[in-house]
């Protein structure tokens, strides 16, 4: 068991957050960081700077403009404008923005569009999107309820490091539906999950490996 836990921790340490990758790929990272640094105190100037960076093609500037308007960060809330910026950021290549577009679709009952967006992101192994696909099938949201399909997606998410997907699978196995063998397997998965889950939760409570939407 100790060896298994050490392997789990090694996998935990090797994981790279998607937003870290997007920041590393951002050519205007310094200017973007400067604009975000003044957003709370000088929102009008910050938005102007973000819009200038977006005009130059910065996908992350578009993403943060979406976040600024959708969540009223120093400006009047404008969900429609925020969504428009998320769409532009997704079109410019931001995986995070595309996931937020799917979230917008979900909360407005546009389940066909949500499913299509999540499915597209799952092909690139973005694990929060894969996990959310499992949720859609588990709850029968916009699709026919299909536990087998939800497990398939959660297994895929788990194989790529999603800890809540592993927890969900453990819960299903421990439910008794798969007999004593399933229960034992579920408890074994839970035991292996505990240490990496707690460490990751303390370090990245909103990280890719725990989040859904």
């Amino acid at each position: 068991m100790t060896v298994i836990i050490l392997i789990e921790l090694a996998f935990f340490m090797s994981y790279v957050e998607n937003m870290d990758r997007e920041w590393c790929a951002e050519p205007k990272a310094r200017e973007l960081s400067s604009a975000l640094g003044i957003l709370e105190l000088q929102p009008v100037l910050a938005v102007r700077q973000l819009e200038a960076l977006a005009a130059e093609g910065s996908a992350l500037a578009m993403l943060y403009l979406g976040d600024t308007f959708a969540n009223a960060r120093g400006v009047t809330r404008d969900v429609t404008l925020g969504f428009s910026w998320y769409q532009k950021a997704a079109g410019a290549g931001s995986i995070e923005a595309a996931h937020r577009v799917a979230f917008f679709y979900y909360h407005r009952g546009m389940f066909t569009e949500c499913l299509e967006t999540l499915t597209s992101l799952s092909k690139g192994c973005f694990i929060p999107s894969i996990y959310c696909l499992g949720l859609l099938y588990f709850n029968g949201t916009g699709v026919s309820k299909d536990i087998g399909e939800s497990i398939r997606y959660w297994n895929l998410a788990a194989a790529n490091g999603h800890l809540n997907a592993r927890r969900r699978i453990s819960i299903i196995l421990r439910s008794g539906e798969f007999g004593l063998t399933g229960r034992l397997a579920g408890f074994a998965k839970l035991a292996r999950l505990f240490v990496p889950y707690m460490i990751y939760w303390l370090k990245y409570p909103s990280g890719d490996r725990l989040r859904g939407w």
Side-chain angles (χ1 to χ4, degrees):
M1 180 64 74
T2 301
V3 173
I4 294 174
I5 291 175
L6 289 174
I7 292 172
E8 298 282 2
L9 289 174
F11 186 54
F12 155 73
M13 295 299 293
S14 67
Y15 186 82
V16 179
E17 295 289 312
N18 174 68
M19 282 302 292
D20 289 342
R21 290 193 294 267
E22 292 200 24
W23 269 97
C24 286
E26 172 57 55
K28 298 289 184 178
R30 182 176 298 178
E31 296 92 329
L32 179 59
S33 181
S34 177
L36 293 175
I38 64 171
L39 182 59
E40 184 175 341
L41 297 177
Q42 298 176 275
V44 174
L45 177 58
V47 167
R48 191 179 303 132
Q49 292 178 356
L50 289 172
E51 288 174 340
L53 291 169
E56 295 177 14
S58 169
L60 275 183
M62 299 174 199
L63 170 67
Y64 283 108
L65 280 165
D67 179 68
T68 297
F69 287 105
N71 297 297
R73 302 194 189 283
V75 300
T76 301
R77 185 185 302 275
D78 189 331
V79 175
T80 300
L81 181 57
F83 176 64
S84 176
W85 278 115
Y86 284 146
Q87 286 182 306
K88 291 176 182 178
S94 172
I95 293 172
E96 176 62 32
H99 188 69
R100 296 190 190 191
V101 167
F103 178 73
F104 180 95
Y105 288 145
Y106 175 82
H107 275 276
R108 278 152 184 76
M110 302 169 67
F111 298 122
T112 298
E113 292 85 349
C114 176
L115 185 65
E116 289 175 352
T117 304
L118 291 178
T119 300
S120 177
L121 289 169
S122 74
K123 293 176 182 177
C125 286
F126 184 54
I127 55 176
S129 293
I130 301 172
Y131 176 75
C132 287
L133 278 170
L135 287 177
L136 292 184
Y137 281 100
F138 186 81
N139 295 317
T141 308
V143 293
S144 298
K145 186 178 179 69
D146 189 332
I147 302 300
E149 192 70 354
S150 67
I151 291 174
R152 184 176 75 84
Y153 278 115
W154 285 337
N155 274 327
L156 177 59
N160 284 278
H162 199 285
L163 298 174
N164 266 333
R166 291 173 56 186
R167 182 180 63 84
R168 286 274 187 170
I169 294 168
S170 169
I171 291 171
I172 291 173
L173 289 172
R174 287 182 285 122
S175 69
E177 184 177 349
F178 298 92
L180 178 60
T181 300
R183 281 182 180 272
L184 292 174
F187 279 110
K189 286 180 179 293
L190 184 64
R192 294 199 302 269
L193 177 62
F194 181 77
V195 172
Y197 191 101
M198 291 304 299
I199 292 176
Y200 191 81
W201 181 77
L202 289 170
K203 190 173 180 64
Y204 297 110
S206 301
D208 293 344
R209 298 179 69 183
L210 291 178
R211 62 183 284 212
W213 297 112

